[in-house]
Amino acid sequence: MESQHPPVPPALRPPAPPSPGRRPRRGRLPFTIAAALAVLASATVIAADAATSGPGTFSFFAGTDVSGVPTDPDTQPVELGLRFTSSSSGTLAAVRFLKGNGSGGSHPVSVWSARGQKLATATSTTESSSGWQEVTLPTPVPVEAGQVYVVSYHTTRYRATQNYFNQTVTSGPLSTSGVAGVYAYGASGFPTSTYKASNYWVDVVFALAAGGTSTPTASASPSTSPTRTPSTSPSPTRSPTPGPTPTAVDPLALPRVAWEGGPAYYGAYPFAQGAGWTNPAFFPIGVWQESVIEARDTALDKSAGINTYVAPTDNSNLRLIESAGMSVIGGNSRQVGPSTVAWSVSDEVDMWGGPGSSAWTGNYPGQGAVCQPANSRCGYTIQETMLKRLPADGRMRYANYGKGVMFWETDAEAGRFVNSYTNVVSNDIYWYTDPGVCDSPSEGPGIGVRPENCRRAANYGRTMDRMRHLDGADGKRQPIFAFVEVGHPFTENDTPTITGDQIAGAVLNSLIHEARGIQYFNHNFGGSCLSQHVLRDRCGAAVRPVVTELNRRVSSLAPVLNTQSYEWRFNPNLDTMLKAYGNSYYVFAMPGRTAGTGSQTLTLPPGMKGARAEVLFENRTVPISGGALQDAFARESAYHIYKITP
């Protein structure tokens, strides 16, 4: 079956200037919450090369040389916008846009919430013939820290620059939010489509709230640059080079780890956009097949750091999930609502269906699905059938796989599962608790995992590596979520029950190996305490505080985790990840698959400067000497996260 990865629009009249792309207009999101009362008025527009601003006021492109930005030949009516967020609360006083040649003398501008509520609108009354136009809003719009907003204007002619938002752009507390440049063809409406990370040169005039600061104050959280965006000069051979850079530290002369694009990936899916998945401050943290019956359920889960329900039980109340501001990956077509960002196609069909296209009978998802004839394999047919049963509504497709993809199947067989049916994928190998994974010749030992090194956090990263290897075979990338158990998921009572430290280690090692989301398996089928809700009831009393703190840390680091990693090996005994964000570098480290405990040396790459490294969440620092730092790892599941600010 053809890949379901997000389509790339065809080139438009090459070598024409950048354009949003002539894709069919997507339907708007069906929001059930009442729209905020829009402020409707005409406003005077100020033609300006820079925003009319004072101290504590910020715009993204004030001072940027835009003299070389061309007017696109496109003449269709289109809403063009900028998605952004702020690390500090404040107010939005005006919307700015770079006027295209021949675009007329009056344009409506709008301010939207992430879910498409129109918060304010105004229409210009006088404009200059070209250059920046600034439309003052009748009433400043309050901006809440950490929330996503969109500013836009409607026109038939515009200026555009492709590949501008391949990296995060910052200005003081402001930053672009994943997919920053957005558009919608037709009458004025909420823009959600994207094309080649284009900048349509829409801007804001943002003022900090009284007493506000332009950077977060928590030392353990990543910070954004407190300075205004610098100006740049256009390249003589192409469109202007973006002035802002994603980090304030010097880029490292290192290759980057292949990735799917971070939060920008979700920009192709309107429901994911509407749920805030394109926000760099969001990181998916889900729970598998949990039930939501009353408000207390979402309150408990949300307080533990959960933000997504994956295939919730059929009796779950989706309105409660929506009211809590949480997301759903629906287990069937009945689990539909504004909070449903994706559909779950199948679970472990690689194991019970196998890599094949024979017929099948039964009722999947459910009991009794059997390949026909007996002993044949029908997993591919099942996937194709399930896709046909799901609504073609623009939501992502998700599937979870297991030991077939991980151990039993060839790359070609497993790769078809991973690359042909989904936009998001996961694999659930429970290295700490599975009774057979450490001993069966067809499982861990079959890929070289010795029993004495089997029950280690680093093997959760091994699962990620296998999935990333398969996923990259078709030249495309999709987000891969990690699956981690939080209790005793097998019926055998003599197998281990995972501990809090092991949960944390499994999650961190998965992140180090480029997991783009975390899912928790929340069921105890064996052991001393049976449960379907480990993180809610007494069975999870010992691990819930650990998971809650772990999720808090992951969420606080979301802007860092959502950037593209550098390739660098700090120490062959350690599993490590290197990122740069804001004013700092971030190094994630923990023991590897066979070694790494005790005292270890981490050798920094050339160009990475700093005198000391702050160890996040541990209230300590370690010195950097001779281009290296030393630290101790007490156990195989221990991890440290270092923040190095030059």
Side-chain angles (χ1 to χ4, degrees):
M1 183 172 180
E2 188 174 327
S3 173
Q4 298 296 310
H5 292 190
V8 177
L12 305 177
R13 299 190 302 276
S19 170
R22 304 185 192 281
R23 290 185 294 179
R25 187 183 183 196
R26 295 182 184 272
R28 298 184 192 166
L29 306 184
F31 304 109
T32 59
I33 55 178
L37 179 62
V39 182
L40 303 174
S42 294
T44 300
V45 65
I46 302 171
D49 291 328
T52 56
S53 60
T57 303
F58 299 89
S59 296
F60 281 99
F61 311 120
T64 300
D65 187 338
V66 294
S67 59
V69 180
T71 297
D72 194 272
D74 188 10
T75 58
Q76 296 185 75
V78 64
E79 189 87 11
L80 301 167
L82 173 77
R83 291 174 60 89
F84 74 97
T85 189
S86 175
S87 60
S88 301
S89 296
T91 55
L92 193 63
V95 176
R96 307 173 67 230
F97 62 90
L98 186 61
K99 187 173 181 177
N101 294 333
S103 66
S106 180
H107 295 83
V109 301
S110 300
V111 182
W112 313 81
S113 73
R115 287 185 175 268
Q117 292 175 288
K118 185 177 285 188
L119 305 178
T121 188
T123 302
S124 62
T125 55
T126 58
E127 294 181 6
S128 62
S129 59
S130 63
W132 282 106
Q133 316 296 316
E134 184 175 312
V135 184
T136 302
L137 300 171
T139 302
V141 175
V143 170
E144 183 180 347
Q147 298 300 307
V148 176
Y149 297 87
V150 177
V151 292
S152 65
Y153 78 108
H154 195 261
T155 187
T156 57
R157 303 302 304 275
Y158 57 90
R159 300 179 188 268
T161 303
Q162 288 183 10
N163 300 315
Y164 193 102
F165 290 120
N166 284 332
Q167 298 175 319
T168 301
V169 176
T170 63
S171 175
L174 303 176
S175 64
T176 54
S177 180
V179 179
V182 290
Y183 70 92
Y185 277 119
S188 181
F190 183 47
T192 60
S193 298
T194 62
Y195 181 69
K196 292 189 176 180
S198 295
N199 182 4
Y200 303 117
W201 298 98
V202 188
D203 204 351
V204 300
V205 178
F206 170 84
L208 288 170
T213 59
S214 61
T215 55
T217 57
S219 62
S221 299
S223 61
T224 55
S225 170
T227 59
R228 294 290 295 273
T229 298
S231 63
T232 60
S233 298
S235 165
T237 58
R238 59 184 179 88
S239 298
T241 300
T245 56
T247 64
V249 294
D250 293 334
L252 299 173
L254 297 173
R256 298 279 190 149
V257 172
W259 72 330
E260 78 296 334
Y265 178 90
Y266 301 114
Y269 307 99
F271 286 92
Q273 275 195 332
W277 283 46
T278 54
N279 186 348
F282 175 82
F283 196 83
I285 302 176
V287 61
W288 173 260
Q289 288 195 342
E290 183 56 279
S291 62
V292 176
I293 309 301
E294 55 187 8
R296 176 179 176 272
D297 296 335
T298 54
L300 279 171
D301 295 339
K302 197 169 185 178
S303 67
I306 304 296
N307 55 44
T308 303
Y309 291 97
V310 184
T313 58
D314 285 344
N315 62 344
S316 291
N317 187 328
L318 265 64
R319 292 185 178 180
L320 291 176
I321 298 174
E322 179 186 346
S323 298
M326 303 168 80
S327 297
V328 174
I329 296 178
N332 56 64
S333 59
R334 298 185 300 277
Q335 294 181 339
V336 60
S339 59
T340 307
V341 300
W343 297 115
S344 178
V345 180
S346 64
D347 178 42
E348 295 182 342
V349 70
D350 59 315
M351 296 175 65
W352 56 267
S357 300
S358 66
W360 64 287
T361 59
N363 183 30
Y364 183 80
Q367 301 297 321
V370 178
C371 298
Q372 298 293 333
N375 300 319
S376 63
R377 300 188 292 188
C378 58
Y380 303 148
T381 306
I382 291 172
Q383 294 293 78
E384 292 158 9
T385 303
M386 296 311 301
L387 284 175
K388 292 176 182 177
R389 292 182 182 180
L390 293 172
D393 56 7
R395 288 179 169 88
M396 297 181 291
R397 271 36 176 176
Y398 158 79
N400 178 61
Y401 296 110
K403 294 181 179 180
V405 163
M406 183 68 192
F407 301 123
W408 305 335
E409 297 161 5
T410 66
D411 282 6
E413 291 170 336
R416 180 167 174 180
F417 278 123
V418 172
N419 291 314
S420 299
Y421 310 109
T422 60
N423 315 117
V424 181
V425 71
S426 65
N427 193 304
D428 59 348
I429 306 297
Y430 301 135
W431 292 95
Y432 275 124
T433 59
D434 189 313
V437 71
C438 295
D439 303 315
S440 173
S442 65
E443 298 181 17
I447 60 170
V449 179
R450 298 175 63 87
E452 62 269 25
N453 295 321
C454 179
R455 302 207 183 278
R456 293 178 70 98
N459 285 321
Y460 289 79
R462 189 188 295 268
T463 302
M464 289 299 306
D465 288 349
R466 169 65 173 167
M467 295 298 289
R468 283 175 51 77
H469 166 72
L470 295 170
D471 178 58
D474 64 351
K476 304 174 185 177
R477 292 282 176 178
Q478 62 184 316
I480 301 174
F481 289 179
F483 233 122
V484 178
E485 71 271 42
V486 293
H488 194 112
F490 295 91
T491 56
E492 292 85 346
N493 291 327
D494 58 350
T495 57
T497 299
I498 197 169
T499 68
D501 287 342
Q502 290 170 339
I503 295 171
V507 167
L508 260 294
N509 202 272
S510 298
L511 296 175
I512 287 172
H513 289 265
E514 304 296 328
R516 296 286 176 250
I518 302 297
Q519 291 187 49
Y520 293 114
F521 189 77
N522 201 32
H523 307 271
N524 282 358
F525 294 122
S528 60
C529 190
L530 303 184
S531 174
Q532 303 293 314
H533 319 280
V534 173
L535 292 178
R536 291 180 186 169
D537 60 26
R538 65 180 182 85
C539 293
V543 300
R544 179 182 168 90
V546 177
V547 173
T548 301
E549 172 60 18
L550 173 65
N551 292 342
R552 184 192 70 80
R553 296 179 181 185
V554 171
S555 295
S556 73
L557 287 167
V560 177
L561 295 170
N562 283 326
T563 63
Q564 189 174 11
S565 303
Y566 287 100
E567 289 185 1
W568 181 256
R569 192 73 181 271
F570 290 86
N571 180 325
N573 294 328
L574 300 175
D575 283 0
T576 57
M577 177 173 66
L578 171 61
K579 292 180 177 288
Y581 179 83
N583 298 314
S584 305
Y585 303 107
Y586 291 80
V587 179
F588 297 67
M590 64 184 303
R593 294 167 188 174
T594 61
T597 55
S599 180
Q600 300 290 331
T601 298
L602 285 81
T603 301
L604 307 185
M608 189 170 169
K609 308 295 185 182
R612 302 190 69 83
E614 176 188 358
V615 189
L616 297 186
F617 315 114
E618 298 184 37
N619 194 30
R620 65 185 179 95
T621 63
V622 294
I624 297 173
S625 178
L629 64 87
Q630 286 189 324
D631 208 352
F633 296 83
R635 57 190 178 277
E636 59 81 22
S637 61
Y639 67 88
H640 301 306
I641 304 171
Y642 305 100
K643 180 180 180 182
I644 301 174
T645 303

